[in-house]
Amino acid sequence: MKTIFGIDLGTTNSCISMLKEGKPEVIAIQDSSLVPSIVSFEADEIIVGLRAKNRQLLHPENTISSVKRIIGSDETVKIGEKLYNPETISSYILSFLKSEAEKVCGKEVKNVVITVPAYFSDSQRRATQKAGEEAGLKVERIINEPTAAALFYKYLQIDEKSETIESNILVYDLGGGTFDVSVLRVGELNEVLATTGNTKLGGDDFDQTIMELCMTRIMREHGIDLRGYKPAEARLKAAAEQAKIHLSHHPYARIEGNLIPNQGNAEIDLFFELERSEFEEMIEHYLEITKKEVGKALSESGLTADQIQNVLLVGGSTRIPAVISLLEGYFGSSCLPPIDPDLSVAKGAAIQGGIITGEHIHQVLIDVNPHSLSASALSYSELVPKVICVPIIPRNTQIPVTRSQIFYTNHDEQQVVKVEVFQGESKEPSENTLIGSLDLKLHPSPAHSPIEIEYSYDLNGIIRVKVEQKGYGAKREVDLDSTLRGQSFLEFDLSIDDEDDFDPDDMDDTQEQDNQVTNYILHKSYDTLNELTSEAEKNTLKALIHDYEKALKGDDEDLVDETEEALVDYIDELKERGD
Ligand code: AMP
């Protein structure tokens, strides 16, 4: 049987694990369970892990940390004259884990399950998968970090008792760069009920807050502004993190930055004490954000705090006493079982690997999608025509899932339908993320012809889109590659023969929009007419429609606007009467 390794590719640290005789075990790399997710460049050598971390102070300009915070984005990292995208930097970390783990266990590391924050978007997931492939790995599955932690927790329970007890658990995962919260029902099945979070909140922000304080002190005491000066920032960041960790176990910490580099001038000494209460105040607003997300996850799962039996604390930052107090206050102290905040995710990933290879683990995992997927369409619910996002797969739907919805063409002989795939919760397209679009050339048909749009979300949280003109056979099915950002679909089936004759870009956008608005108004007018029962109202509406249609045939734009307004106002009035 092949082995599927589990990898927790963390913002701060990464970890690789495997099942040994059915038990998840972390593989120690250079004697440590955790490998710093740091990459440093020296001439042609790529250095990863602890050595890279040690180089960070001396060579900050050649060293990259927390790359996970920008994975799946357009941002790049410049080292010397070379630009690297975040996937490539992540692939160096994965290659290092692969080769070092191979040395330890004496076999090839090829098939893996990689974990990502539950709240990662499609492009962040894709980029992670690509990083795996660039590292020569076969990524069998991308799973959510809190779900992996829950799988491990469940494994421990099964290990202790043979019977399966059903319970609701909440996973609060606060690492170096991301925050996730998931609510799960575990039992015979492990079902994720809701998941939410913030992919840009974590221990790095707490370090940054302490660093800002140091900068302010240096400014006050020495009149020197070191902001943006990398060697000083690297030194201060290390001092800040050390102090933060110290404060988890002590009431105060000394911040000692001996000999902070000062842009070619005499180095600066920094020494002061920070109290835990002071630090807690400094990070209070971040913890408030996490508390709100906990409330949101609970309400979306349909549960209340007293229906949660266990709260799992995952991620290094959950060692902060203020985090523990926050959760004890919310759920009660008896709800927090001791689990390893650093290793549970990687061990859960190895368990998921075992489930895929068919090991006797007796666990079934059902996860959900973290963001709604919608298509843009002209809204028929408001009088002023407006393009809105219509959800096809709402967030927190169990995956894998396929859902479809019927939309309608706007005018006779419409040549093309444009499907835009959005990820996000807003009705307003500009507030969501456009992750792709595709055009389907239509067969000639009357207005209001049905178009079926179908989205599928697979077990890795990756999307496939199918568009079909019902009754006419025009169809396109595509796989969405959102790492190529916007408009990029990987086409694998196109069932229109004369595609070459058609170029959607030839269409005049403004004209297209005007046509859509006109059609929308007429559509709405006739719908309203059909619904009316009063003869008097019907006659008034018919007359207004007639005036509008007549104006449309002429050249007088003012008359079109006038008759349009009169028609829209009257429909509005009828709607108000009806309400
Ligand atoms: P992770 O991404 O789960 O590896 O978590 C890494 C983050 O946890 C980093 O920001 C660390 O500084 C932070 N961390 C680790 N140990 C502690 C601790 N004892 N107290 C506070 N933060 C910690």
Side-chain angles (χ1 to χ4, degrees), residues 12-13 175-176 203-204 241 244-245 248-249 315-317 319-320:
T12 318
N13 296 302
D204 281 357
E241 186 181 12
K244 173 189 75 175
I245 292 175
S248 290
H249 313 285
S317 300
R319 292 197 178 90
I320 296 175

Side-chain angles (χ1 to χ4, degrees), residues 8 10-14 34 68 173-178 202-207 237 241 244-249 279 314-321 341-342:
D8 172 5
T11 310
T12 318
N13 296 302
S14 295
L34 296 177
K68 185 171 169 180
D173 182 351
L174 187 61
T178 59
D204 281 357
D205 298 295
F206 310 155
D207 302 343
K237 167 123 175 44
E241 186 181 12
K244 173 189 75 175
I245 292 175
H246 191 82
L247 285 173
S248 290
H249 313 285
F279 169 63
V314 179
S317 300
T318 59
R319 292 197 178 90
I320 296 175
D342 295 321

Side-chain angles (χ1 to χ4, degrees), residues 481-529:
D481 186 348
S482 60
T483 51
L484 300 177
R485 288 175 261 289
Q487 306 84 28
S488 303
F489 283 92
L490 297 179
E491 203 169 288
F492 57 83
D493 177 21
L494 184 63
S495 57
I496 293 284
D497 303 333
D498 51 354
E499 188 67 18
D500 289 344
D501 301 339
F502 177 70
D503 183 358
D505 293 339
D506 287 344
M507 287 180 71
D508 176 335
D509 279 349
T510 324
Q511 183 59 43
E512 168 76 20
Q513 267 172 14
D514 282 352
N515 285 345
Q516 290 200 6
V517 171
T518 305
N519 262 288
Y520 168 78
I521 292 170
L522 286 173
H523 211 110
K524 185 89 192 160
S525 307
Y526 282 110
D527 278 354
T528 311
L529 195 61

Side-chain angles (χ1 to χ4, degrees), residues 185-197:
R185 178 170 298 132
V186 299
E188 290 288 344
L189 295 176
N190 301 314
E191 280 178 272
V192 181
L193 303 178
T195 190
T196 176

Side-chain angles (χ1 to χ4, degrees), residues 114-130:
I114 304 181
T115 60
V116 293
Y119 214 55
F120 253 22
S121 67
D122 182 64
S123 64
Q124 290 166 308
R125 285 164 199 270
R126 287 261 181 193
T128 306
Q129 196 167 25
K130 265 196 181 163

